[in-house]
């Protein structure tokens, strides 16, 4: 019996210096390659909230991907290897949403052995995430790490930008 294969033909899963497990290029991955579909159970935001008790979690909802206002993919339920890819603030992949499906796609040529990352730009309906910034701390090590997995849109608006709404 061999161990279950946790990656796919583009990447292998092993311990990451960023956090936990990560996906590492098994070969040169050319820019534009669809590395993996973010697969899992499609649920509503309300179902995601019911499923994951925010107050009881010390870390973010690693396995949730927000597709749009209606749909969240929960990769903890029947998910594929995409759930192992870590966040980074200067990533080499990006999610591409096409007809409601999410494909993690290489945005640059990625040499074999390099960890695959994408910007989670994490948001949740309701905006309560800002109350627990420690839960979303980023330690990706990038020179321009913004220190959080949360979407930049939730962070300090630029001085020249419009003031935050509803404050
Ligand atoms: Zn970072």
């Amino acid at each position: 019996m061999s161990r279950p294969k946790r990656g796919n033909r583009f990447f292998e899963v092993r311990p990451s210096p960023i956090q936990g497990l990560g996906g590492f290029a098994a070969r040169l991955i050319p820019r534009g390659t669809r590395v993996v579909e973010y697969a899992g159970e499609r649920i509503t935001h309300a179902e995601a909230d019911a499923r994951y008790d925010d107050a009881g979690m010390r870390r973010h909802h690693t396995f949730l991907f927000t597709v749009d206002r209606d749909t969240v993919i929960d990769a903890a339920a029947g998910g594929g290897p995409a759930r192992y890819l870590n966040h980074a603030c200067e990533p080499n992949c990006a999610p591409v949403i096409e007809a409601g499906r999410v494909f993690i796609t290489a945005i640059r040529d990625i040499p074999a052995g390099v960890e695959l990352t994408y910007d989670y730009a994490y948001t949740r309906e309701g905006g309560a995430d800002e109350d627990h910034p420690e839960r979303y701390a980023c330690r990706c090590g990038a020179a321009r790490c913004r220190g959080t997995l949360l979407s930049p849109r939730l962070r300090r608006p630029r001085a020249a930008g419009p003031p935050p709404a509803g404050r």
Side-chain angles (χ1 to χ4, degrees), residues 84-139:
Y84 293 111
L85 301 189
N86 277 316
H87 163 95
C89 295
E90 293 179 349
N92 50 26
C93 295
V96 174
I97 299 176
E98 189 176 290
R101 294 169 68 187
V102 179
F103 299 93
I104 307 301
T105 303
I107 56 175
R108 63 185 66 159
D109 293 342
I110 305 170
V114 170
E115 180 165 9
L116 307 182
T117 55
Y118 65 99
D119 187 341
Y120 285 10
Y122 200 80
T123 62
R124 295 304 310 279
E125 297 293 300
D129 292 336
E130 286 181 296
D131 296 341
H132 301 281
E134 72 285 354
R135 201 171 290 156
Y136 302 92
C138 180
R139 301 174 195 90

Side-chain angles (χ1 to χ4, degrees), residues 4-141:
K5 190 165 179 286
R6 289 185 295 186
N8 68 9
R9 67 192 172 104
F10 292 113
F11 66 91
E12 59 184 31
V13 174
R14 51 186 165 86
S16 162
I18 297 176
Q19 170 184 294
L21 295 171
F24 294 79
R27 36 169 280 199
L28 172 69
I29 301 175
R31 178 182 176 186
T33 302
R34 285 185 173 181
V35 174
V36 63
E37 179 172 3
Y38 199 96
E41 184 181 359
R42 304 176 74 84
I43 58 178
T44 65
H45 288 271
E47 287 170 330
D49 289 341
R51 193 170 284 187
Y52 298 99
D53 171 18
D54 247 348
M57 296 194 70
R58 291 179 53 237
R59 286 290 294 170
H60 62 93
H61 305 290
T62 306
F63 298 148
L64 295 180
F65 189 102
T66 297
V67 179
D68 55 31
R69 292 183 60 84
D70 299 320
T71 306
V72 178
I73 295 175
D74 184 358
R83 70 182 185 274
Y84 293 111
L85 301 189
N86 277 316
H87 163 95
C89 295
E90 293 179 349
N92 50 26
C93 295
V96 174
I97 299 176
E98 189 176 290
R101 294 169 68 187
V102 179
F103 299 93
I104 307 301
T105 303
I107 56 175
R108 63 185 66 159
D109 293 342
I110 305 170
V114 170
E115 180 165 9
L116 307 182
T117 55
Y118 65 99
D119 187 341
Y120 285 10
Y122 200 80
T123 62
R124 295 304 310 279
E125 297 293 300
D129 292 336
E130 286 181 296
D131 296 341
H132 301 281
E134 72 285 354
R135 201 171 290 156
Y136 302 92
C138 180
R139 301 174 195 90
C140 75

